[in-house]
Amino acid sequence: MKVFCSRVNPTTGAVDWVEEDEHYDYHQEIARSSYADMLHDKDRNQKYYQGIRLAVQRVKERGEEAIVLDIGTGTGLLSMMALTAGADFCYAIEVFKPMAEAAVRIVQTNGFRDKIKVINKHSTEVTVGPDGDMKHKANILITELFDTELIGEGALPSYEHAQHNLMQDHWEAVPHRATVYAQLVESRRLWSWNKLFPLKLDSMEIRPPPEMENCPGAPSVCDVQLSQLSLNDFTKLTDSLRVFWVDFSQQVSSSTVSHPVHFAPIADGTAQVVLSWWDIDMDPEGTITCTMKPSWTYPATQPAPWRDHWMQCVYFLPEERPVTQHEKLCLTAHQDDYCVWYTLTKPSSAVEHSQLSIERPACSCGAHITWNRSRFGELNDRQRMGLYMQALRQVLTPSSVCLCVSDGSLLPFLAHSVGAAQIYTLESSSMSQHLMEKLFQANQIENKIGVLRKSADSLTAADLQDRKISALIGEPFFTTSLLPWHNLYFWYSRTALSDNLTKDFTVFPLHASLYVLAVEFKDLWRIRSPCGICEGFDVSIMDDMIKNSLNFRESQEAEPHPLWEYPCRALSEPTKLMTFDFREPVPADEMRSEGSLNLVRPGESHGMVLWMEYQLTEDISVSTGLLQVSEERGNCLWYPHSKQGVYFFSSVLDPTLASTQSFASVTYLLTFNPKLGEIRMNFTPIS
């Protein structure tokens, strides 16, 4: 059955009515899931298996039947482990219907259909009794409900309900307990993801309004691959602190609670950021531990397991504060049923403060709603802002009528500093409009810059006081953009504004170019690689399900990833595929690029990385992708404030297609459809 769905096209800005299969959303969720990544995590799998064996053994030694409840079963892997370890029966709960259906088939394929019952419900809806979903309550609770923050997927309410309603009076739990650790640091790089720094220009200094400086920030955790941070990116103010733990063999509560930890800093500095991760012990003795700690906490000789389904957390304190070595302080973790947040106080006020801070923080200034973390980082990128400033000096004159088309941009400030006569900025949302108005007011230039909450195609001469635009500028950046080429919305806006432009108008950037690079990923390829046999169990049905969802579209698509977090090596030279000329309107005809590129380094080719480069003026450009390649190994340095597009080769998605010989080149065919604003692509490695 087909259904019509309305979607805002991020490139053209138009509302498109698209005919989709009724299961399209399911396919999208499956295709972008982390099921494969989790099953590739041997450290996780093996430790779960060890813990399950011991839990079943403890129940059997008491002379009881081992009845297992597996919440969030996914493929049914942990249930099958339990049966193999000697459990008598398993109830495997999976709320996501396509995954539950796959689990039923996987269980049957592996010969456990009579011993595992897959229940397609939320665990809080499961009933117990002769006519219920479960005939008997369980005495072994196995779960994998955790996210990077540990409790962000609602683990605590699920545990609380299950222990009250689905478990016997005494039960074993795998994992047995979880422990959350925190480390207080000073880090200009990380703090730049949370606050707008003052920026000194030629004739003024941009300062954030007080409500932005005092805002507690976004309530959501910032999950990141902390292993990819350099130790030079932060200063440790504490060693890792054990903040709180949850014993899953005891009754869990999802009530809001605070966990104060008293400590003395190990160095002088400015407390800004809390780095956090967790461990899970699979057994009561704590001999089987699966840890999420970053690689720089491991001994030099011990490699850290790579995971993308569980990373580490960055939390921002409500405000930065100076600390001195050996000073007595209290770091308090506040935890409700879904979130964790931190405050730093003096010990004498810790109890009182914990009561005041029990409510989850939320953005009150609008900036943390308008700008995500990477956008904050980009706005605080002094080198990049310097390039924009240099370019604007070449482009603008005292008589320029300037229009900025970018969401929440600082370019209007730069244009004012350069001395443009009249400046306007188009903002796509009321939140962005109010934010920019507050920024202009705080810097006393609200009468110098007009804020227009309009789309380019609805702009009238009256909005511009019957003037025409002589300088159209943009970074470009738009909050709706996911892939690098989605910011071509600037080009569509330029086209819609044609009647409002002077004949000799200047546009900035002049044009954008799409670049590509063949790469070998150190680990990222695992998120799309089939598992086949996992710990002795055949899970290829799940592989086929993911492959089917990835092929749901007529052609394969690139997906966005922040590659500074995912090391890779360049196997080819960066190659320009297409150029989009902003001096001209969007063409009516399709643009096409076809050819091949040679691989210049040996390695396993996992895919292609795509990014945009913007030519601001004839001699100044900025990149959203590759910044540098080391000559010797080909290690890549990526622009950290944008996501790049990643196109995985079919050999990653289906290892049976992998060539026994190394690839020598890659052929490509790309088409840009101006009507849809889409880039269709195909890359084929050639031996």
Side-chain angles (χ1 to χ4, degrees), residues 1-163:
M1 177 180 171
K2 298 287 185 180
V3 294
F4 281 96
C5 305
S6 67
R7 292 192 175 90
V8 177
N9 188 308
T11 309
T12 67
V15 177
D16 297 335
W17 284 91
V18 184
E19 188 181 43
E20 298 284 11
D21 186 279
E22 62 178 326
H23 300 303
Y24 173 76
D25 288 337
Y26 278 171
H27 285 291
Q28 285 291 89
E29 186 166 347
I30 293 168
R32 299 294 178 249
S33 70
S34 295
Y35 292 123
D37 174 46
M38 293 172 71
L39 295 181
H40 279 297
D41 188 347
K42 288 189 173 295
D43 178 69
R44 162 197 174 269
N45 298 340
Q46 292 172 357
K47 287 174 178 174
Y48 258 102
Y49 211 165
Q50 293 171 38
I52 288 169
R53 287 193 190 100
L54 291 176
V56 172
Q57 180 181 324
R58 290 193 296 273
V59 169
K60 291 290 188 178
E61 287 175 350
R62 295 198 295 264
E64 302 173 13
E65 277 194 320
I67 308 299
V68 174
L69 176 63
D70 176 8
I71 302 178
T73 193
T75 59
L77 175 67
L78 302 184
S79 290
M80 294 188 293
M81 287 179 176
L83 264 296
T84 305
D88 296 283
F89 197 84
C90 288
Y91 295 102
I93 300 174
E94 176 56 52
V95 69
F96 186 42
K97 186 177 181 180
M99 198 68 245
E101 292 171 348
V104 169
R105 295 169 56 205
I106 290 170
V107 164
Q108 291 176 348
T109 298
N110 287 274
F112 296 107
R113 67 179 298 173
D114 296 329
K115 292 287 187 176
I116 299 176
K117 180 181 180 181
V118 178
I119 303 170
N120 179 209
K121 285 185 176 181
H122 194 284
S123 61
T124 57
E125 299 172 345
V126 171
T127 57
V128 180
D131 299 320
D133 301 306
M134 297 171 60
K135 300 297 182 186
H136 309 284
K137 289 187 175 183
N139 54 11
I140 299 178
L141 178 57
I142 300 174
T143 59
E144 204 288 72
L145 299 172
F146 314 117
D147 68 349
T148 293
E149 199 175 18
L150 182 70
I151 64 173
E153 291 185 0
L156 295 183
S158 297
Y159 268 111
E160 186 175 34
H161 176 272
Q163 291 168 344

Side-chain angles (χ1 to χ4, degrees), residues 470-491:
S470 61
L472 179 64
I473 64 173
E475 299 183 46
F477 168 85
F478 302 98
T479 56
T480 54
S481 299
L482 295 175
L483 288 160
W485 45 92
H486 288 167
N487 284 323
L488 288 176
Y489 178 67
F490 179 81
W491 199 16

Side-chain angles (χ1 to χ4, degrees), residues 193-196 211-212 215-220 361-376 379 407-408 427-436 438 477-480:
W193 297 353
N194 182 55
K195 298 290 183 181
L196 182 64
E211 59 263 40
M212 189 183 296
C215 180
S220 57
C363 174
S364 57
C365 72
H368 302 90
I369 300 172
T370 305
W371 299 328
N372 60 22
R373 270 98 185 201
S374 60
R375 181 58 172 164
F376 267 100
L379 294 173
D407 288 345
E427 299 299 330
S428 62
S429 68
S430 59
M431 185 64 70
S432 178
Q433 174 193 7
H434 295 324
L435 173 62
M436 296 310 296
K438 283 192 288 187
F477 168 85
F478 302 98
T479 56
T480 54

